[in-house]
Coordinates of all heavy atoms in Angstrom, one line a residue:
Q1 N 31.9 129.8 131.4 CA 30.6 129.4 131.8 C 30.7 128.5 133.0 O 31.4 127.5 133.0 CB 29.8 128.8 130.7 CG 28.4 128.5 131.0 CD 27.6 127.9 129.9 OE1 28.2 127.1 129.1 NE2 26.4 128.3 129.7
V2 N 30.0 128.8 134.1 CA 29.9 127.9 135.2 C 28.7 127.0 135.2 O 28.8 125.7 135.3 CB 29.9 128.7 136.5 CG1 29.8 127.8 137.8 CG2 31.1 129.6 136.7
A3 N 27.5 127.6 134.9 CA 26.3 126.8 134.7 C 25.2 127.7 134.1 O 25.0 128.8 134.7 CB 25.8 126.2 136.1
G4 N 24.7 127.3 133.0 CA 23.6 128.1 132.4 C 24.0 129.6 132.2 O 25.0 129.8 131.4
D5 N 23.3 130.5 132.8 CA 23.6 131.9 132.6 C 24.6 132.5 133.6 O 24.9 133.7 133.6 CB 22.3 132.7 132.8 CG 21.2 132.4 131.7 OD1 21.6 132.0 130.6 OD2 20.0 132.5 132.0
V6 N 25.2 131.7 134.4 CA 26.2 132.1 135.4 C 27.6 131.9 134.8 O 28.0 130.7 134.4 CB 26.0 131.4 136.7 CG1 27.1 131.9 137.7 CG2 24.6 131.7 137.3
Y7 N 28.5 132.9 134.9 CA 29.8 132.9 134.4 C 30.8 133.4 135.5 O 30.4 134.1 136.4 CB 30.0 133.7 133.2 CG 29.2 133.2 132.0 CD1 27.8 133.4 131.9 CD2 29.9 132.6 130.9 CE1 27.1 133.0 130.8 CE2 29.1 132.1 129.8 CZ 27.8 132.3 129.8 OH 27.1 131.9 128.7
I8 N 32.1 133.0 135.3 CA 33.2 133.5 136.1 C 34.1 134.3 135.2 O 34.4 133.9 134.1 CB 34.0 132.4 136.8 CG1 35.1 133.0 137.7 CG2 34.5 131.4 135.9 CD1 35.8 131.9 138.5
L9 N 34.5 135.5 135.7 CA 35.5 136.3 135.0 C 36.7 136.3 135.8 O 36.7 136.6 137.0 CB 35.0 137.7 134.8 CG 33.7 138.0 134.0 CD1 33.4 139.5 133.8 CD2 33.7 137.3 132.6
E10 N 37.8 136.0 135.2 CA 39.1 136.0 135.9 C 40.1 137.0 135.2 O 40.1 137.1 134.0 CB 39.8 134.6 135.8 CG 38.9 133.5 136.5 CD 39.4 132.1 136.3 OE1 39.0 131.5 135.2 OE2 40.2 131.6 137.1
G11 N 40.8 137.7 136.0 CA 41.7 138.7 135.5 C 42.8 138.9 136.5 O 43.7 138.1 136.6
A12 N 42.7 140.0 137.3 CA 43.7 140.3 138.4 C 42.9 140.7 139.6 O 42.1 141.6 139.6 CB 44.6 141.5 138.0
G13 N 43.1 139.9 140.7 CA 42.3 140.1 141.9 C 41.2 139.1 142.0 O 41.3 138.0 141.5
G14 N 40.2 139.4 142.8 CA 39.2 138.4 143.1 C 38.4 137.9 141.9 O 38.1 138.7 141.0
N15 N 37.9 136.7 142.0 CA 37.0 136.2 140.9 C 35.7 136.9 140.9 O 35.1 137.2 141.9 CB 36.7 134.7 141.2 CG 37.9 133.8 140.9 OD1 38.8 134.1 140.1 ND2 38.0 132.7 141.6
I16 N 35.3 137.2 139.6 CA 34.0 137.9 139.4 C 33.0 136.9 139.0 O 33.2 136.0 138.2 CB 34.2 139.0 138.3 CG1 35.2 140.1 138.7 CG2 32.9 139.6 137.8 CD1 35.6 141.0 137.6
G17 N 31.8 137.1 139.5 CA 30.6 136.3 139.0 C 29.7 137.2 138.2 O 29.5 138.4 138.4
V18 N 29.2 136.6 137.1 CA 28.2 137.3 136.2 C 27.0 136.4 136.0 O 27.1 135.2 135.7 CB 28.9 137.6 134.9 CG1 27.8 138.3 133.9 CG2 30.0 138.6 135.1
L19 N 25.8 137.0 136.2 CA 24.6 136.4 135.8 C 24.1 137.2 134.5 O 23.9 138.4 134.6 CB 23.5 136.5 136.9 CG 22.1 136.0 136.5 CD1 22.1 134.5 136.2 CD2 21.1 136.4 137.5
A20 N 24.0 136.5 133.4 CA 23.7 137.1 132.1 C 22.3 136.6 131.7 O 22.2 135.5 131.1 CB 24.8 136.8 131.1
T21 N 21.3 137.5 131.8 CA 20.0 137.1 131.4 C 19.4 138.0 130.3 O 20.0 139.0 130.0 CB 19.0 137.2 132.6 OG1 18.6 138.6 132.8 CG2 19.6 136.6 133.9
D22 N 18.3 137.6 129.7 CA 17.7 138.5 128.7 C 17.1 139.7 129.3 O 16.8 140.7 128.5 CB 16.6 137.7 128.0 CG 17.2 136.5 127.1 OD1 18.4 136.6 126.7 OD2 16.4 135.6 126.9
S23 N 17.0 139.8 130.6 CA 16.5 141.0 131.3 C 17.6 141.9 131.8 O 17.3 142.9 132.4 CB 15.5 140.6 132.4 OG 14.4 139.8 131.9
G24 N 18.8 141.5 131.7 CA 19.9 142.3 132.1 C 21.0 141.4 132.8 O 20.9 140.2 133.0
L25 N 22.0 142.1 133.3 CA 23.2 141.5 133.9 C 23.3 141.8 135.4 O 22.9 142.9 135.8 CB 24.5 141.9 133.2 CG 24.5 141.8 131.7 CD1 25.8 142.4 131.1 CD2 24.3 140.4 131.2
L26 N 23.9 140.9 136.2 CA 24.2 141.1 137.5 C 25.7 140.8 137.7 O 26.2 139.7 137.2 CB 23.4 140.3 138.5 CG 23.7 140.4 140.0 CD1 22.4 140.4 140.8 CD2 24.6 139.4 140.5
L27 N 26.4 141.6 138.4 CA 27.9 141.5 138.6 C 28.2 141.3 140.1 O 27.7 142.0 140.9 CB 28.6 142.8 138.1 CG 30.1 142.8 138.1 CD1 30.7 141.9 137.1 CD2 30.5 144.3 137.8
V28 N 29.0 140.3 140.4 CA 29.5 140.0 141.7 C 31.0 140.3 141.8 O 31.8 139.6 141.2 CB 29.2 138.6 142.2 CG1 29.7 138.3 143.6 CG2 27.8 138.2 142.0
D29 N 31.3 141.4 142.5 CA 32.6 141.9 142.6 C 33.2 142.5 141.3 O 32.7 142.1 140.2 CB 33.6 140.9 143.2 CG 33.3 140.6 144.7 OD1 32.6 141.4 145.3 OD2 33.7 139.6 145.2
D30 N 34.2 143.4 141.4 CA 34.6 144.1 140.2 C 36.1 144.4 140.1 O 36.5 145.3 139.4 CB 33.7 145.3 140.0 CG 33.7 146.2 141.2 OD1 34.7 146.4 141.9 OD2 32.6 146.8 141.5

């Protein structure tokens, strides 16, 4: 968790951003 509903996903490659709301998700990079 970065702040509130915003998260970072780390794996292999560029960092992914996720906005996780009750109305759905938004993904930054994959």
Side-chain angles (χ1 to χ4, degrees):
Q1 186 179 37
V2 179
D5 296 332
V6 179
Y7 293 76
I8 180 175
L9 301 184
E10 297 171 274
N15 288 329
I16 294 171
V18 175
L19 174 67
T21 78
D22 291 335
S23 300
L25 309 176
L26 180 143
L27 182 68
V28 181
D29 291 341
D30 52 37

